[in-house]
Amino acid sequence: MARTCSFTDGRGDTPAGSLPLALLTGEAAPARAPTRRVTDAVVPGHLVLTRRVSLPRKAARRMHQIGALDLLQKTPFQMHEIRWAIGPVRRDKEQIHVTQVIALQSDLTTWRARMQTANHPLRRLYATVDGQDVLIADYSKELRGSGRFWPALNAAGAFVAGLCALYLWALAGLQANEKLATLTLEITRLQAEALRLREEVDRLQADQDQQQGLLTGITTAPRLLDALTAATAALPDQVWVSQYVFDPGGTRMFVQVDGSAVDLLYTLADQGHLPNALMQGEVDRTPSGAEEFWLRHDPVPRP
């Protein structure tokens, strides 16, 4: 930001915000202001040169090119020695009268240096000609220096800040998606585990039903219970029963005896726990030497 400042010679009223003309033209070094203020200076017209050029109205679009050529041809200045601008323009029926405002480059350098010394860096220089402020020199780019990079840096910072804000806004969603994926996998695992446990429960329930049916059959059939009790008491330890069949005509069991089947029959006959114990079918011998056969006996009488 810059403030616009005019220059006065100290005569009469001094406008607010103006600076003394001696700051530009004085011999002594200007006093340094306590604070730095970038300035757009408006100098009086008598500090610059003015000249008028008349052009045909048809040449209005080329007044700047024609003005530069006229300066080279009709003034003792070279273009690198001056800075000039087009000031007030007056038109009549046939011609355009252009005012050229000319400042010596040496004067501009001196004014700029004195302004810098006074802690009032010069950004633009205007000259008041015929009541119009004409821009002669613009040092904005030189004054900014590295500051010209600030817009790009600000844009980059805003872009980075936008990315950070977008990331923070999306972070909750990303975390939620990650948790959702984890929970989905856990739910799938638990569902598979539930199915496995359900099959295990069904199997255990079937076993329980089978056992309960057996217990129910035993408890509701006293004759079968009596037969099992008698067989448990009568059969020696070296006899194993793998099948037990109970029907109204009697009881049959498939036994394996580690010894002689005939000796087993004699033993059962002597005990009397299994009435009329008889061998049914053939006797088979196992690879281990044990004998297998069906053993039948009459229903066991109730005690």
Side-chain angles (χ1 to χ4, degrees), residues 188-207:
T188 302
R189 186 189 67 80
L190 292 176
Q191 287 177 343
E193 183 68 14
L195 291 176
R196 187 188 67 79
L197 292 176
R198 181 62 185 177
E199 293 176 355
E200 183 68 15
V201 169
D202 292 342
R203 185 185 66 78
L204 294 175
Q205 186 65 41
D207 292 344

Side-chain angles (χ1 to χ4, degrees), residues 27 31 41 43-44 52 61 94-95 110 120 129 138 148 152 155 172 181 188 226 233 240 247 255 262 269 283:
E27 297 181 357
V43 300
R52 288 178 173 80
R61 294 183 179 180
E94 297 181 356
Q95 289 187 322
T110 300
H120 293 292
V129 178
D138 188 347
R148 64 181 181 274
T188 302
D226 293 342
W240 297 272
D247 55 36
V255 299
V262 176
V283 177

Side-chain angles (χ1 to χ4, degrees), residues 37-56:
R37 294 295 299 270
V38 179
T39 304
D40 289 343
V42 182
V43 300
H46 67 269
L47 294 183
V48 296
L49 303 175
T50 59
R51 61 190 299 271
R52 288 178 173 80
V53 179
S54 298
L55 307 174

